[in-house]
């Protein structure tokens, strides 16, 4: 059988050389070997805690969100308790997080909607999740994947960068990258791919100075502006 050749794909004014199916398989095999059971760095115990944490994490770091929820969740970690706190009661717990005024209003409104329409439970349907205040496609994908085990792909800035730099699934916007990743990531890796890619982007394939010399997939990556390292230890 003739192997499928993926042609170069334009991204803006650049043309990205795409990884082959065999290279993608090798990429995720290596990422899995390094981290067999990846998960989110947000701290949570229930689907509702995860939903709140992801909602708070927009334009904020996981570290900052965890600091806030460590104080919040022992006091209020159900829709009923959050609704009882109200917006003004919630604000002091999340005031260290960016956009906390808007997020407090969304989280309380979300709690009220969960109580009214879903019996206080987090729905596991995309449409129902995206109908909640403060919940967009990325948040819904994280909850569906991490809380309910669905093979979804939540594309943030890290995943967008990695997918474009490596030639894995380049795209001009996050939805294009999401659709591309769902199409090319082997089914065996799809559930955990979101976590591997976000962690790789956060700690190795960083925006300003990627740590190419210590990258496990450096020889597969299509990024031309790799940071230098010892040529004797790097496969090209």
């Amino acid at each position: 059988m003739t192997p499928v050749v993926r042609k170069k794909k334009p991204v803006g004014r650049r043309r990205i050389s795409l990884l082959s199916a065999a290279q993608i398989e090798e990429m995720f095999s290596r990422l899995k070997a390094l981290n067999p059971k990846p998960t989110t760095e947000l701290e949570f115990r229930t689907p509702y805690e995860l939903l709140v944490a992801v909602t708070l994490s927009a334009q904020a770091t996981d570290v900052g969100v965890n600091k806030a929820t460590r104080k919040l969740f022992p006091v209020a970690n159900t829709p009923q308790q959050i609704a009882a706190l109200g917006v003004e009661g919630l604000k002091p717990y999340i005031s260290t997080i960016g956009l906390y005024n808007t997020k407090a209003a969304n989280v309380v409104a979300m709690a009220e909607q969960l109580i009214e329409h879903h019996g206080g439970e987090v729905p596991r349907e995309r449409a129902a999740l995206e109908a909640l205040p403060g919940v967009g496609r990325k948040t819904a994908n994280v909850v569906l994947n991490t809380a309910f085990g669905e093979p979804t792909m939540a594309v943030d800035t890290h995943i967008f960068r990695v997918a474009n730099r490596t030639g894995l699934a380049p795209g001009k916007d996050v939805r294009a990258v999401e659709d591309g990743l769902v199409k090319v990531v082997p089914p065996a890796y799809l559930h955990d791919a979101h976590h591997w890619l976000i962690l790789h982007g956060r700690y190795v394939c960083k925006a300003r100075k990627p740590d190419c010399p210590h990258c496990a997939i450096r020889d597969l990556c299509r990024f031309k502006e790799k940071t230098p390292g010892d040529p004797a230890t790097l496969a090209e």
Side-chain angles (χ1 to χ4, degrees):
M1 184 176 179
T2 304
V4 176
V5 177
R6 300 174 71 211
K7 298 180 180 179
K8 290 184 178 181
K9 183 173 182 179
V11 178
R13 295 183 177 179
R14 297 177 295 119
R15 294 187 69 84
I16 301 294
S17 179
L18 303 180
L19 298 180
S20 68
Q23 289 169 325
I24 293 173
E25 175 76 30
E26 178 64 19
M27 171 188 285
F28 284 102
S29 175
R30 294 182 194 179
L31 294 176
K32 181 177 182 179
L34 290 172
N35 188 358
K37 295 183 178 180
T39 189
T40 178
E41 293 186 318
L42 291 170
E43 297 172 359
F44 73 99
R45 292 176 299 174
T46 66
Y48 179 66
E49 286 188 355
L50 176 64
L51 177 60
V52 171
V54 178
T55 302
L56 295 175
S57 71
Q59 300 182 48
T61 66
D62 288 359
V63 171
V65 171
N66 289 338
K67 287 180 180 179
T69 56
R70 285 171 196 158
K71 298 176 181 179
L72 172 63
F73 288 157
V75 174
N77 70 337
T78 67
Q80 293 82 0
Q81 291 170 335
I82 292 291
L85 269 184
V87 174
E88 295 306 316
L90 176 58
K91 283 182 182 180
Y93 292 99
I94 65 171
S95 61
T96 55
I97 300 174
L99 305 175
Y100 74 93
N101 286 306
T102 299
K103 291 177 181 179
N106 283 335
V107 169
V108 170
M110 179 172 65
E112 293 170 344
Q113 192 163 314
L114 287 173
I115 295 168
E116 182 177 356
H117 298 293
H118 303 285
E121 299 295 324
V122 177
R124 59 184 306 166
E125 297 80 28
R126 176 184 300 282
L129 282 168
E130 291 187 22
L132 297 171
V135 177
R137 184 176 182 86
K138 185 180 77 172
T139 296
N141 277 337
V142 173
V143 173
L144 289 169
N145 177 277
T146 306
F148 299 124
E150 301 290 337
T152 55
M153 187 67 62
V155 178
D156 69 347
T157 56
H158 297 298
I159 296 178
F160 183 80
R161 180 172 63 254
V162 171
N164 275 288
R165 276 182 176 172
T166 61
L168 173 61
K172 63 181 180 179
D173 54 45
V174 293
R175 184 58 191 272
V177 169
E178 177 187 336
D179 292 343
L181 287 170
V182 170
K183 190 177 298 183
V184 304
V185 174
Y189 300 109
L190 191 55
H191 175 263
D192 292 325
H194 156 76
H195 299 296
W196 283 317
L197 294 175
I198 193 172
L199 293 171
H200 187 70
R202 183 174 290 166
Y203 295 112
V204 181
C205 194
K206 294 172 281 191
R208 294 186 178 180
K209 188 178 181 181
D211 190 10
C212 299
H214 297 98
C215 176
I217 58 173
R218 184 182 194 278
D219 57 311
L220 304 172
C221 175
R222 296 293 191 257
F223 185 52
K224 293 181 179 179
E225 294 79 32
K226 291 185 178 73
T227 52
D230 182 356
T233 64
L234 299 176
E236 287 288 358

